[in-house]
Amino acid sequence: MTEKVKVVTLGCEKNLVDSEIMSGLIHERGYSLVEDKEEATVIIVNTCGFIDAAKEESVNTILDLAELKQSASLKALIVSGRLTQRYKQELMNEMPEIDGIVGTGDFDKINDIIDEALGGRKPIMVGNPVFNYEQKLPRRVTTPRYTAYVKIAEGCDNACTFCSIPIMRGSSATAVSSRSSQRWSDSPPKASRRSV
């Protein structure tokens, strides 16, 4: 049986781009992407953890979706994104409902995480928070066909005491090179491009 995967995106459009790349990788592996959480055998929650309200929304979403292990087909609940980058050990220790964790710089390994989680292991793959957007990876764009978000930068070099972006996304880095920009400049003239 082919696994049915639902990707839940919380937070900003930067997370949406990451979710679209994960969805592309999942689809390429041959898993089915589904919209209905009740139908899913695997759910990935791409979290935000920037402010307290976002952390609370992420934790509540994880707990709500974990209930589907009892009432639906859910076999594996995987958490990705900013919250995992900052609180990986706390999440695994305090939320046994989580079957796997992947950080902001490692989400291209989502299929390995899915396989390990389905195999009964509880993988934690959280390393360097900076993701290499120069890789040629599949992406399943979820916005209307005439628009897509393009990341132009990621992270931050400022070490403000109140901010956790450098911890969760790493140092400031350009997400698009001139080569990547060229790809987008060839798009149809009526297409809208939003930078995030």
Side-chain angles (χ1 to χ4, degrees), residues 79 81-98 100-103 122-127 167:
V79 182
R82 290 184 174 114
L83 196 68
T84 63
Q85 192 66 41
R86 187 164 186 196
Y87 301 107
K88 65 181 180 263
Q89 211 52 58
E90 293 90 333
L91 287 168
M92 287 307 274
N93 292 341
E94 296 175 25
M95 299 181 80
E97 300 87 350
I98 296 173
I101 285 182
V102 62
K122 291 204 171 216
I124 299 175
M125 195 169 292
V126 180
I167 296 167

Side-chain angles (χ1 to χ4, degrees), residues 8-16 18-19 45-62 79-87 91 102 104 164-165 168-169:
V8 176
T9 305
L10 305 175
C12 67
E13 288 80 8
K14 288 184 179 211
N15 266 11
L16 178 62
D18 296 347
S19 290
V45 183
N46 192 4
T47 62
C48 183
F50 182 56
I51 59 174
D52 288 338
K55 292 178 207 172
E56 186 176 332
E57 178 189 26
S58 294
V59 168
N60 288 337
T61 300
I62 293 164
V79 182
S80 67
R82 290 184 174 114
L83 196 68
T84 63
Q85 192 66 41
R86 187 164 186 196
Y87 301 107
L91 287 168
V102 62
T104 58
S164 58
I165 287 177
M168 295 184 285
R169 287 292 190 174

Side-chain angles (χ1 to χ4, degrees), residues 35-36 44 54 60 66 87 102 126 133 140 148 153 162 167 170 185 189 195:
E35 286 300 314
D36 183 5
I44 299 160
N60 288 337
Y87 301 107
V102 62
V126 180
Y133 288 96
R140 305 259 313 177
F162 60 86
I167 296 167
S185 67
S195 299

